[in-house]
Amino acid sequence: QLQLQESGPGLVKPSETLSLTCTVSGGSISSSSYYWGWIRQPPGKGLEWIGSIYYSGSTYYNPSLKSRVTISVDTSKNQFSLKLSSVTAADTAVYYCARLVSLTLLPQGWFDPWGQGTLVTVSS
Amino acid sequence: QSVLTQPPSVSGAPGQRVTISCTGSSSNIGAGYDVHWYQQLPGTAPKLLIYGNSNRPSGVPDRFSGSKSGTSASLAITGLQAEDEADYYCQSYDSSLSGFGGGVFGGGTKLTVL
């Protein structure tokens, strides 16, 4: 059974860079059938897609975050990572990683399964 | 403001049927992109409920069903149960966002079982 687990600091200072890693177990991140994605949810609010990555390294980002986001993949460790620079209090959220199941070669599909999520608070 | 519009809340009594709408536009649902639905119980991660407009993953009761028409989609829940009380989100793709990879979510709908 595929499982995903987010890890990283729970507190980040304003203007610094948020860094999270998602470790995939029970399956290979290098599978050609899937993309891998990051989604966030501010407290009490809805879901926001941050970006997606293929095992080859191809990335797709939310235009509203694109200038600050970098998603990378490490197939040797079966992990993918998120970096969000110049954070502010508005970036405080639960960050989820998830597998993106696509029936085509494009990152258009559904997210399943999801990691349990990790709360990142931006505060000095 | 979400690209996909959902009602903030819906409610129903046990045993009743409720529907949750998800309204998009010609650059997302209306462009032919599939709609997917997620259930988020309090304090937990979202869980896939419906994929590809109307398909249920194994383990999801057939009380849950999805449909899509034009620029909108709907999630229907029949035989409402107390355990269905949760937040529900629709998700699709928008061709005006990030080329072919622009994932978009609805704002979410809180279902209250009376």
Side-chain angles (χ1 to χ4, degrees):
Chain A
Q1 179 182 354
L2 190 81
Q3 292 186 314
L4 295 89
Q5 178 68 58
E6 305 89 350
S7 59
L11 181 64
V12 181
K13 289 182 168 56
S15 79
E16 295 189 344
T17 296
L18 177 160
S19 295
L20 295 174
T21 296
C22 181
T23 300
V24 178
S25 59
S28 174
I29 202 169
S30 300
S31 172
S32 60
S33 301
Y34 308 117
Y35 283 78
W36 305 90
W38 286 99
I39 302 103
R40 70 180 183 178
Q41 184 172 36
K45 296 188 178 181
L47 301 168
E48 180 181 34
W49 171 72
I50 299 172
S52 301
I53 190 166
Y54 196 53
Y55 76 93
S56 63
S58 297
T59 52
Y60 301 82
Y61 298 136
N62 186 323
S64 69
L65 299 169
K66 188 173 184 177
S67 63
R68 299 194 292 130
V69 172
T70 301
I71 297 176
S72 59
V73 62
D74 187 336
T75 55
S76 67
K77 295 182 179 179
N78 230 32
Q79 296 176 333
F80 63 106
S81 299
L82 168 70
K83 290 188 185 299
L84 181 65
S85 64
S86 305
V87 297
T88 69
D91 295 309
T92 293
V94 175
Y95 286 76
Y96 296 101
C97 60
R99 182 180 66 177
L100 175 53
V101 183
S102 177
L103 299 181
T104 70
L105 294 177
L106 299 173
Q108 299 164 3
W110 56 92
F111 294 100
D112 181 58
W114 296 56
Q116 66 182 28
T118 187
L119 174 63
V120 178
T121 301
V122 178
S123 175
S124 55
Chain B
Q1 195 78 354
S2 301
V3 174
L4 304 178
T5 300
Q6 298 180 234
S9 63
V10 298
S11 63
Q16 286 190 332
R17 178 181 186 271
V18 297
T19 62
I20 299 173
S21 61
C22 175
T23 303
S25 68
S26 59
S27 62
N28 42 69
I29 298 175
Y33 292 110
D34 286 342
V35 178
H36 321 291
W37 291 90
Y38 303 88
Q39 177 192 59
Q40 186 176 33
L41 297 170
T44 68
K47 167 194 164 188
L48 180 68
L49 199 61
I50 297 287
Y51 67 94
N53 304 316
S54 58
N55 301 291
R56 282 187 310 275
S58 61
V60 173
D62 60 5
R63 302 186 295 104
F64 295 90
S65 63
S67 63
K68 172 189 160 185
S69 178
T71 58
S72 296
S74 290
L75 172 70
I77 310 172
T78 59
L80 207 56
Q81 299 180 3
E83 66 201 50
D84 299 332
E85 189 160 288
D87 293 325
Y88 293 83
Y89 293 90
C90 61
Q91 177 239 321
S92 186
Y93 279 83
D94 193 297
S95 58
S96 67
L97 299 176
S98 188
F100 294 108
V104 290
F105 286 94
T109 298
K110 181 174 181 58
L111 169 62
T112 300
V113 181
L114 302 171

